[in-house]
Amino acid sequence: MPAAATTLPEEDLLFRLLRQLDLAPEASQRATAQALDISLGRLNALLRAVTDAGLVRLSDRDSADRRSRVAYALTARGAAEKARLTDRFLARKLAEYDALHAELTGTGSGLPSLKTRTLMMQNHLAPIPELYVSADSAQKLKREAADLVSWDLTPRQTCDLELLMNGGFNPLKGFLGKDDYESVVETMRLADGALWPMPITLDVSEDFAGKVEPGQDIALRDAEGVILAILSISDKYIPNKAREALMVYGADDVAHPAVNYLHHVAGPVYLGGAITGIQQPVHYDFRARRDTPNELRAYFRKLGWRKIVAFQTRNPLHRAHQELTFRAAKEAQANLLIHPVVGMTKPGDVDHFTRVRCYEAVLDKYPSATTTMSLLNLAMRMAGPREAVWHGLIRKNHGCTHFIVGRDHAGPGKNSQGVDFYGPYDAQVLFKTHEAEIGLEMVDFKHMVYVQEKAQYYPANEVPEGDTILDISGTELRRRLREGLDIPEWFSFPEVVKELRRTSPPRSQQGFTVFFTGLSGSGKSTIANAMMVKLMEQGGRPVTLLDGDVVRKHLSSELGFSKEHRDINIRRIGYVASEITKNGGIAICAPIAPYTATRRAVREMIEAFGAFIEVHVATSLEECERRDRKGLYKLAREGKIKEFTGISDPYEAPTAAELVVDTEGMDVDYCAQQVLLKLESMGLIAA
C-alpha cells in the first residue's frame, strides 16, 4: 500500500470523517463521500488510513451495490479520538471567532477559553456532552469488547463510570491519567487548569495491571458481567496514596472512611484513559426517580424552570430539612430539586431504600408545581470542603443554578484524636472562593433548630434571646429508635418515623453479631460456645456460631494461612454474619482475626444491618502457649508452622473493642456473663 494511503488526514478532516461514520455507520460510501464533499477515491484512501490506525473497523454486509458491501464503525479508540478532536475543533473555531470579533470591533469577544467553556459558555439547560456512542455502534462495540481483557468494576467504580458516561462528571472524558491525577490532588485542577477537586481513578490489582499496558483497550463490566464501557488505557501508574489522603481528605488518617478505603480496599495501581460508553448500569430500584443530567435539563426546559436550587442529602428528611429547603428556594427565588445520593455514602448511614421511601412519604409536603426529586447514583468520599465543590460541579452539570451548602457539608465525623475532620463552615468558605468558576450560586444555611416559644424553626444564629431551643441530634434520634422511645412531631414527620421504625425496630428485636478476636488458645471458641447456649436458652432469635475452625472446614477448606488467605476467610465469616444479622438473627464469630483493617471491613459490612460487638479476648501470649492444647505453638517455635499469629506473624490488638475479657484465672461462665451484661447494657437483649 502506498505510504500516502496510511497517513492520517489533517485534524479537521479526520474529525469530520469520524463524526460522519459515528452518525451514519450504515451509510454507503457514496453517501459518506457526499456528506464530506470529497471524491470516492479520496474517501477510500481515508478509510484505509483510519482502519490501519485502529480508529475504525469494517465488517461485511449484504448489498447489491458493491460499494455498500462493507460497513464502517468507530472502535473504542476511534470514539476517544473523536472526543479529543471535538474539543480541538471547538477550540479552533472559538479562536477564529475571537480573532474575527477583534478585527471587526477592535475588542475581543470576551468568550472564555476551552478549559472553562463547558462550565461557563454552556446554557444550564442545553444538552451536555455524554460519552455514549450511538445505539448501532454500541451493539457492534459490545460484540468486539467480548474478546477484550475485562475488569469487573467495584461498586464505587460503577458509580463513577455512570456519571462519567452520562455527563455528570463533565468535563472529564474518562478516568484520570497520571498528569491530571497529580494536578487534581495538588491543586484541585486538571492539567489544563479546569477546576476539578476529586480524583476519579480506576484502581486495579497488581495482577491485573501486569496484564495490560497503555495503548490497550479493556472492557469494563458490572458485577453481573455486563459490558458497560471500553477504556482506552493511556496511563498506568502507582499513586502516592499517603499524599492523596493528605491533600484530598486533609489527613492520612484511617478513621476517615475514604482514607480507609484508599489504603485497605482500593487497588495499588491506577489506570487512566478515555471512556467509550456502551450502556448505562441497570438499576431495578426506583427507576422512575433516576435521571441523567440531560434528562433533568430536558425536564426543566419543559416546565420552564430557569432557576433551580439543589439540595444534597444522604439522610432522611425531617422538619428542619423541610424548613431549610423552603427558605433556600425562597431566598434564591428558585424551584427546588431534592437530589439525594443513593450510591455509596458513609458506613452506618440509613440504607437508600429506606431513605427514598422516607423522601417519597414527605414529598407531598412540598408544592408539586415548584419541587421535584431525582436520585443521584454518586459514590461519596465524605471529603468535606473539596466534596462541596465537587457536588456543586455535578449539580451544575444536572442543570441547577443554585446549591445549598449546609453546616459540615459531607463531613465524615471525628478523626483518630476525637476531633472533627473539618470545621463546621469550611465547606461554605471553599465553595464561595470558587463560586464563579463553578458557575453555581451557593445558598448557605446554618444549623436549623426548633424554637419552642415560636413553634417554628430558626437558623441557630437567629434565635431570639431567651427563647428555648429544642433539638434532637442524629445520635439521640438513633437512641430513640433503638429503644422505641417517642419522636416528637416538631422534629420529624409521622410518615418518616413510621418508615424508620420499620427498618430500625428496637434493638432487642434486631439482629446483631458478637465478634470474638484473640490469639489461638485464648478461649474465644469456649466463650463463644457458652454464649450460644445462653442466648439459645433465652430464645426469641435464631443463634448461629461461626467458629474459626468450623468455618475453615466448611467454607474455606481450599485456603492456606497466608495473610491474603486469612483475610479472605475473615471476610467470608463477615459476609455470612452480615446476612444473619440482616435477617434478624444473632451471629457469634470466633476467629483469630489478627488484622485491624480486616476487622474494620467486617464491622462496616455488618453495621449496615445491625449492631457489631467486638470482644477482645486479651489472654496473654504466655498463657496461650502454656495451654497449647493443639501443640501449635510448639510447632511454630520449631519453625514447622509458618506465619503463625503471635510467633512469626503479628496480632494487631483492637484499640476500641466494645469489650475486653481476659480468661486467665477466670472461668468460662464468668466471661460469658460479662458479654451478656454488655449486650444487655446496649439494649440488644432484654434485661
Side-chain angles (χ1 to χ4, degrees):
M1 183 180 296
T6 60
T7 302
L8 288 173
E10 53 89 21
E11 285 193 345
D12 274 1
L13 182 55
L14 178 59
F15 165 68
R16 291 168 54 217
L17 174 63
L18 295 178
R19 179 172 178 272
Q20 184 62 30
L21 292 176
D22 194 35
L23 287 172
E26 301 290 340
S28 67
Q29 289 186 12
R30 187 178 304 279
T32 302
Q34 289 174 348
L36 297 175
D37 195 23
I38 59 176
S39 67
L40 280 170
R42 176 65 170 144
L43 175 63
N44 276 316
L46 293 176
L47 291 172
R48 284 196 298 272
V50 294
T51 302
D52 291 345
L55 304 178
V56 171
R57 71 181 183 290
L58 54 87
S59 59
D60 295 330
R61 64 177 178 180
D62 295 329
S63 175
D65 183 351
R66 66 183 183 84
R67 291 190 179 276
S68 301
R69 292 175 183 169
V70 177
Y72 294 88
L74 302 192
T75 63
R77 193 162 299 281
E81 179 68 6
K82 172 178 167 281
R84 184 186 72 84
L85 291 173
T86 298
D87 277 344
R88 296 286 295 273
F89 177 82
L90 291 173
R92 285 196 298 273
K93 293 302 181 185
L94 182 60
E96 290 172 8
Y97 173 78
D98 196 56
L100 180 60
H101 192 283
E103 179 183 337
L104 296 176
T105 67
T107 61
S109 67
L111 293 176
S113 62
L114 174 66
K115 69 182 181 183
T116 55
R117 168 175 53 82
T118 55
L119 294 177
M120 297 177 64
M121 277 182 64
Q122 181 172 274
N123 182 293
H124 74 100
L125 296 184
I128 61 170
E130 297 182 347
L131 302 184
Y132 294 109
V133 295
S134 64
D136 288 342
S137 295
Q139 290 303 314
K140 294 174 182 176
L141 278 178
K142 188 178 290 189
R143 290 193 293 270
E144 180 184 277
D147 297 325
L148 296 176
V149 175
S150 292
W151 173 254
D152 293 337
L153 297 161
T154 65
R156 185 163 105 169
Q157 292 167 352
T158 303
C159 290
D160 287 350
L161 178 64
E162 179 172 356
L163 287 167
L164 281 169
M165 294 190 297
N166 68 23
F169 284 171
N170 188 50
L172 301 192
K173 298 294 189 287
F175 290 104
L176 299 185
K178 185 178 181 182
D179 290 346
D180 278 327
Y181 162 77
E182 291 179 347
S183 182
V184 167
V185 167
E186 297 295 332
T187 70
M188 292 193 4
R189 295 183 180 277
L190 300 171
D192 67 3
L195 180 67
W196 190 264
M198 197 62 57
I200 305 300
T201 54
L202 185 71
D203 57 278
V204 299
S205 64
E206 286 183 345
D207 288 344
F208 184 83
K211 300 174 185 177
V212 298
E213 295 295 336
Q216 183 176 347
D217 292 341
I218 63 171
L220 301 179
R221 298 176 182 265
D222 68 11
E224 296 180 358
V226 176
I227 297 173
L228 303 179
I230 294 175
L231 171 67
S232 299
I233 302 174
S234 61
D235 296 78
K236 181 173 74 171
Y237 55 102
I238 297 175
N240 182 340
K241 291 188 175 183
R243 183 66 178 173
E244 180 179 342
L246 179 64
M247 297 303 294
V248 178
Y249 306 110
D252 190 11
D253 183 345
V254 293
H256 194 299
V259 175
N260 180 66
Y261 184 98
L262 186 66
H263 287 304
H264 297 130
V265 180
V269 182
Y270 289 177
L271 301 180
I275 288 294
T276 302
I278 294 176
Q279 70 175 68
Q280 64 183 3
V282 177
H283 299 288
Y284 299 105
D285 58 321
F286 308 113
R287 298 183 72 166
R289 295 288 186 189
R290 295 178 182 268
D291 302 286
T292 69
N294 280 328
E295 286 170 344
L296 267 185
R297 286 170 172 246
Y299 179 77
F300 298 151
R301 287 198 304 272
K302 181 177 180 180
L303 294 185
W305 291 6
R306 291 297 176 263
K307 288 185 177 182
I308 302 99
V309 57
F311 176 55
Q312 147 92 27
T313 179
R314 60 176 226 277
N315 296 306
L317 288 178
H318 301 299
R319 291 190 184 274
H321 300 112
Q322 184 196 44
E323 183 64 27
L324 185 153
T325 52
F326 276 160
R327 285 173 174 249
K330 182 178 180 180
E331 180 177 301
Q333 296 184 337
N335 298 98
L336 176 64
L337 170 66
I338 301 173
H339 209 201
V341 171
V342 295
M344 297 174 67
T345 59
K346 182 183 175 184
D349 280 352
V350 177
D351 69 274
H352 82 269
F353 298 102
T354 300
R355 288 191 288 112
V356 175
R357 290 197 301 271
C358 289
Y359 301 145
E360 291 183 328
V362 301
L363 199 57
D364 62 359
K365 310 291 184 185
Y366 291 86
S368 59
T370 59
T371 305
T372 190
M373 182 176 78
S374 181
L375 308 183
L376 179 65
N377 196 45
L378 174 71
M380 290 183 66
R381 271 60 163 182
M382 309 306 298
R386 278 203 184 210
E387 182 121 357
V389 174
W390 188 42
H391 288 171
L393 292 168
I394 292 168
R395 271 38 183 243
K396 168 69 174 177
N397 287 331
H398 282 78
C400 299
T401 58
H402 296 71
F403 183 55
I404 300 171
V405 181
R407 182 179 180 275
D408 194 26
H409 186 100
K414 299 188 183 300
N415 60 22
S416 297
Q417 286 71 48
V419 179
D420 288 340
F421 273 95
Y422 314 115
Y425 301 110
D426 287 355
Q428 293 182 359
V429 172
L430 187 65
F431 194 102
K432 195 67 178 178
T433 302
H434 298 284
E435 185 179 56
E437 194 171 359
I438 295 169
L440 209 67
E441 288 187 38
M442 179 178 74
V443 182
D444 62 321
F445 271 96
K446 306 297 188 284
H447 183 48
M448 302 293 294
V449 294
Y450 187 77
V451 179
Q452 187 175 30
E453 288 80 0
K454 306 295 184 183
Q456 66 185 63
Y457 278 89
Y458 280 80
N461 62 337
E462 296 179 13
V463 176
E465 187 175 352
D467 282 1
T468 306
I469 293 175
L470 301 180
D471 193 17
I472 294 179
S473 67
T475 301
E476 174 63 12
L477 173 63
R478 288 189 291 273
R479 185 186 74 84
R480 291 181 181 229
L481 288 170
R482 182 172 65 241
E483 299 179 12
L485 300 177
D486 178 61
I487 297 172
E489 284 201 31
W490 63 259
F491 175 77
S492 192
F493 303 99
E495 300 91 335
V496 171
V497 174
K498 180 181 177 181
E499 286 294 339
L500 292 176
R501 290 200 190 282
R502 285 177 58 196
T503 306
S504 302
R507 268 201 161 181
S508 59
Q509 299 172 25
Q510 293 180 21
F512 62 88
T513 294
V514 181
F515 192 92
F516 292 92
T517 173
L519 294 168
S520 176
S522 61
K524 303 181 303 299
S525 297
T526 307
I527 302 173
N529 272 290
M531 277 291 305
M532 178 181 68
V533 172
K534 288 178 180 294
L535 289 169
M536 291 179 71
E537 181 184 8
Q538 289 190 358
R541 282 170 285 189
V543 185
T544 303
L545 175 62
L546 299 171
D547 181 73
D549 291 339
V550 176
V551 170
R552 279 275 178 182
K553 178 180 178 181
H554 294 288
L555 285 181
S556 302
S557 59
E558 84 284 6
L559 299 180
F561 290 89
S562 66
K563 182 181 187 303
E564 179 186 7
H565 280 194
R566 277 184 282 184
D567 278 351
I568 293 172
N569 183 53
I570 300 305
R571 288 175 186 272
R572 287 179 182 177
I573 291 173
Y575 172 73
V576 175
S578 72
E579 290 295 304
I580 293 168
T581 300
K582 179 171 69 175
N583 289 286
I586 300 172
I588 303 174
C589 311
I592 294 174
Y595 307 120
T596 301
T598 312
R599 293 195 301 265
R600 174 169 176 162
V602 170
R603 176 185 288 272
E604 291 178 356
M605 200 184 305
I606 291 166
E607 285 186 336
F609 307 111
F612 178 90
I613 303 90
E614 184 176 51
V615 180
H616 179 205
V617 184
T619 309
S620 67
L621 176 63
E622 293 74 22
E623 176 63 15
C624 292
E625 279 201 78
R626 188 187 64 76
R627 296 172 182 176
D628 202 13
R629 182 167 57 87
K630 301 176 184 177
L632 299 177
Y633 283 98
K634 182 176 181 295
L635 294 174
R637 292 289 186 190
E638 294 171 353
K640 295 178 181 178
I641 298 180
K642 306 297 182 184
E643 297 181 300
F644 189 82
T645 302
I647 303 299
S648 52
D649 202 62
Y651 176 78
E652 300 172 359
T655 58
E658 278 74 14
L659 182 65
V660 178
V661 298
D662 185 348
T663 61
E664 192 169 354
M666 301 292 178
D667 60 33
V668 173
D669 194 61
Y670 174 80
C671 294
Q673 191 63 32
Q674 295 304 110
V675 181
L676 282 174
L677 289 171
K678 182 65 179 179
L679 297 178
E680 184 181 304
S681 71
M682 296 175 68
L684 292 166
I685 59 175

